[in-house]
Amino acid sequence: MSYNWGLIQRLLHEVQRGANDSFKPRHYAEEHATQMESEGQPMPNLDSLRAEAADYESMLFEGGFIVSRPEEEGGNGENFVLTERGSRLLAILDDPQEAQRQHLADKGDAALVPEVFDEMAAGRP
C-alpha cells in the first residue's frame, strides 16, 4: 500500500479548521480531486478516493494522530483535533523540501504505525 500523502495532508488541514463542524472526509476527498484536476492532474476515481479518505480518518484516529475535539473547543462528537503526533505529521507533509515526505514514503505501510512514525519523526532512521 502506498499512501496518498496529498489527501492525508488535506484531511489533517481540515481537522485543524474543524471546530463546530462535523468532519466530512468523503466531501474533502471530492474537493481534493477537483483541486487536482484544476492543477492539470488526472481526475482520480471519486468513489475510490472517498473510500480512501474514510479509511484514512479511521487510521489517523486509531494511530493517535487525531482525537475527538473536546466540547469546550467546539467539539460535537463528530470532529477532531490534531495530537502532537498529528501536528508532526502535518509539519512533515507541509515541508516544501519534501525530504521527510520521501522518508515517509520509504517506510511504506509502516509509515503511519505510531511507533515507526514516532521514531522517524524524531530523526532516527
Side-chain angles (χ1 to χ4, degrees), residues 34-68:
T34 301
Q35 179 182 352
M36 288 174 62
E37 187 178 44
S38 74
E39 293 171 353
Q41 298 177 39
M43 175 65 99
N45 178 298
L46 281 179
D47 289 335
S48 294
L49 198 64
R50 287 183 200 115
E52 191 175 19
D55 289 344
Y56 287 156
E57 175 188 10
S58 295
M59 191 178 304
L60 292 169
F61 185 79
E62 291 168 10
F65 294 90
I66 60 177
V67 294
S68 294

Side-chain angles (χ1 to χ4, degrees), residues 3-12 56 60 89 93 112:
Y3 294 110
N4 181 335
W5 294 113
L7 179 57
I8 291 172
Q9 181 180 23
R10 173 64 186 263
L11 295 174
L12 293 173
Y56 287 156
L60 292 169
L89 176 57
L93 296 175
L112 294 181

Side-chain angles (χ1 to χ4, degrees), residues 31-108:
E31 290 176 344
H32 181 70
T34 301
Q35 179 182 352
M36 288 174 62
E37 187 178 44
S38 74
E39 293 171 353
Q41 298 177 39
M43 175 65 99
N45 178 298
L46 281 179
D47 289 335
S48 294
L49 198 64
R50 287 183 200 115
E52 191 175 19
D55 289 344
Y56 287 156
E57 175 188 10
S58 295
M59 191 178 304
L60 292 169
F61 185 79
E62 291 168 10
F65 294 90
I66 60 177
V67 294
S68 294
R69 183 177 292 273
E71 254 183 67
E72 58 272 9
E73 293 179 21
N76 61 14
E78 297 180 3
N79 56 7
F80 306 100
V81 293
L82 295 177
T83 62
E84 181 181 334
R85 181 179 289 140
S87 294
R88 284 184 287 162
L89 176 57
L90 184 57
I92 289 169
L93 296 175
D94 282 347
D95 185 347
Q97 295 184 21
E98 296 195 24
Q100 290 243 335
R101 186 184 285 219
Q102 182 58 48
H103 197 63
L104 280 172
D106 292 345
K107 294 289 183 183

